[in-house]
Amino acid sequence: MSTENLPQSPEQPARKPRVAVVFGGRSSEHGISMVTAGAVLTAIDRTKYDVLPIGITREGRWVLTADEPERMAIADRRTPEVADLAEEHEGGVVLPVDPTSREVVYSEPGSVPKALGEVDVVFPVLHGPYGEDGTLQGLLELSGVPYVGSGVLASAVGQDKEYMKRVLASYGLKVGPYLVIRPREWARDESAARKRIVDFAGEHGWPLFVKPARAGSSIGITKVDGLAGLDEAIAEAQRHDPKILIEAAVRGREIECGVLEFEDGPRASVPAEIPPPDAHAYYDFEAKYIDSTPGVVPAPLTEEQTAEVRRLAVEAFEATSCEGLVRADFFLTEDGEFVINEINTMPGFTPISMYPQMWQATGVSYPELVDRLVQAALRRPTGLR
């Protein structure tokens, strides 16, 4: 039978990929994650993607939030809260742990769960534990949902500064002197643990930087100039993480470099330099986000130095099996050697953050940067790769 004269069904228009932007979280970087999310929600191309904003409260509840990025900015020197944007205060968003379905569900007590539709990719703009450290990435792998950024292992390594340094050093990148105090060691014998720190200072000199081992945005970090401030610095770091890291000061210029995954592999941005902030002892949280201490982009380096730091940034990206994006932070010492301080697998992504500024100077605008990250995630399979 001929179908020539039968009515033809109109072709359905292709559905736009749906991007869930997930932000907030249980870490001390909750507010900065909100600011990052506001910038991403503003920049993402709404003609190309459907967008679903999902916030995670400080208690860990997933909620639908208002799509109002203008309310996700720092105001009166205070960072925003997911709870203030939540559309409902009793229900929650559920991502089923089922790789055959990407259906997101909204559930509230006493009501039938409501399907919110499928999600094609998650853009997790969380910083710190319970989001940037491989935990959320593991959930998304179990759910079979593609996501922006590094996988479980690279995210975990990038979050834990001890193992990050171990991996980078094993690949031949130079790291500065450091010491780790684990919670069991501190609980077993505080005096012995403190003596290890004092001995470390005797070997490498003051000042020391006392840090939470698994935190970011310079939260919980103290620059210690002598014994008098040591106990207070340890207590502050342990308030954010029971495992702490002690670093000797590396004297040199602070140089940062961004890495972005392109179709043909990772590439490095032009580097930036972070000059010593006038009103702060070092480049701390207040200097970064509240007072917005400006970096110098591009960094005033020689051609050889620029090429070298870009090479090392990509090498750090590859050494830790990263995907999507990384910001690599270095010190350029007086003898011309680059010492890597750390990598960030989900770096600060606000409009004033160095990562997007470096790519802007390299020729990739903020909206294009967001688009490239989403496209890279959509290209990658979930699971082992």
Side-chain angles (χ1 to χ4, degrees):
M1 176 178 174
S2 171
T3 60
E4 183 175 323
N5 297 318
L6 293 179
Q8 302 297 308
S9 300
E11 288 189 12
Q12 295 295 319
R15 182 176 66 84
K16 290 186 291 187
R18 198 165 193 221
V19 181
V21 179
V22 180
F23 52 90
R26 294 164 55 191
S27 83
S28 53
E29 297 173 78
H30 178 102
I32 292 304
S33 172
M34 292 278 295
V35 178
T36 293
V40 170
L41 289 169
T42 299
I44 195 166
D45 187 348
R46 303 303 180 105
T47 67
K48 190 171 182 178
Y49 304 107
D50 284 328
V51 180
L52 180 67
I54 298 176
I56 302 177
T57 68
R58 288 188 182 272
E59 296 73 36
R61 188 165 62 94
W62 291 41
V63 298
L64 290 178
T65 70
D67 189 0
E68 299 175 6
E70 67 277 3
R71 294 174 58 194
M72 301 183 187
I74 294 173
D76 299 324
R77 302 180 70 86
R78 295 180 60 186
T79 55
E81 293 282 331
V82 164
D84 294 336
L85 274 79
E87 294 189 339
E88 300 289 343
H89 295 282
E90 292 187 3
V93 175
V94 179
L95 186 68
V97 185
D98 178 0
T100 66
S101 172
R102 295 177 181 174
E103 192 86 29
V104 175
V105 173
Y106 176 77
S107 177
E108 58 184 344
S111 299
V112 176
K114 294 183 291 186
L116 300 176
E118 289 194 348
V119 166
D120 297 292
V121 62
V122 169
F123 199 137
V125 290
L126 294 109
H127 304 305
Y130 315 112
E132 190 183 351
D133 60 350
T135 50
L136 176 62
Q137 290 75 14
L139 172 64
L140 296 173
E141 291 286 353
L142 289 172
S143 301
V145 179
Y147 53 92
V148 170
S150 291
V152 176
L153 176 64
S155 296
V157 169
Q159 186 65 42
D160 190 313
K161 293 179 175 63
E162 175 194 0
Y163 289 100
M164 175 204 307
K165 290 175 185 291
R166 288 180 181 271
V167 171
L168 293 173
S170 75
Y171 276 82
L173 284 89
K174 186 172 180 60
V175 302
Y178 68 95
L179 174 70
V180 177
I181 303 293
R182 294 181 171 80
R184 280 197 296 267
E185 179 183 1
W186 186 259
R188 185 169 56 243
D189 192 337
E190 285 187 20
S191 296
R194 189 180 290 104
K195 183 177 184 303
R196 285 186 65 209
I197 300 173
V198 174
D199 290 346
F200 179 80
E203 181 180 357
H204 298 287
W206 302 93
L208 300 178
F209 288 87
V210 181
K211 302 181 175 183
R214 295 163 291 192
S217 297
S218 297
I219 291 174
I221 298 177
T222 306
K223 180 182 179 183
V224 183
D225 293 312
L227 285 172
L230 184 58
D231 286 350
E232 186 178 346
I234 291 169
E236 173 60 16
Q238 289 176 331
R239 196 165 67 83
H240 300 277
D241 187 347
K243 176 180 172 180
I244 64 174
L245 187 80
I246 318 297
E247 291 179 341
V250 178
R251 305 189 188 282
R253 298 162 60 188
E254 291 192 50
I255 307 294
E256 298 184 348
C257 193
V259 180
L260 177 65
E261 184 180 337
F262 285 73
E263 290 82 356
D264 59 353
R267 301 182 199 171
S269 70
V270 299
E273 180 168 4
I274 309 299
D278 293 333
H280 301 268
Y282 63 99
Y283 193 47
D284 61 7
F285 179 86
E286 297 274 326
K288 285 180 182 178
Y289 296 109
I290 304 301
D291 296 329
S292 304
T293 301
V296 180
V297 188
L301 302 172
T302 67
E303 288 186 15
E304 293 77 11
Q305 289 171 331
T306 296
E308 176 67 359
V309 75
R310 295 177 83 169
R311 181 188 71 79
L312 290 172
V314 172
E315 194 172 320
F317 182 96
E318 298 282 29
T320 45
S321 299
C322 287
E323 296 167 292
L325 73 165
V326 146
R327 193 193 73 231
D329 301 345
F330 297 85
F331 294 107
L332 176 57
T333 64
E334 292 179 356
D335 61 4
E337 186 174 38
F338 283 103
V339 176
I340 189 163
N341 184 36
E342 63 180 46
I343 60 167
N344 280 269
T345 56
M346 185 54 70
F349 218 81
T350 70
I352 63 169
S353 297
M354 295 312 302
Y355 185 83
Q357 286 193 50
M358 288 186 288
W359 279 108
Q360 179 77 43
T362 312
V364 180
S365 69
Y366 195 106
E368 183 186 350
L369 187 57
V370 171
D371 184 62
R372 282 192 172 278
L373 289 169
V374 173
Q375 289 299 317
L378 288 169
R379 286 196 302 271
R380 288 196 305 269
T382 55
L384 299 177
R385 53 189 182 275

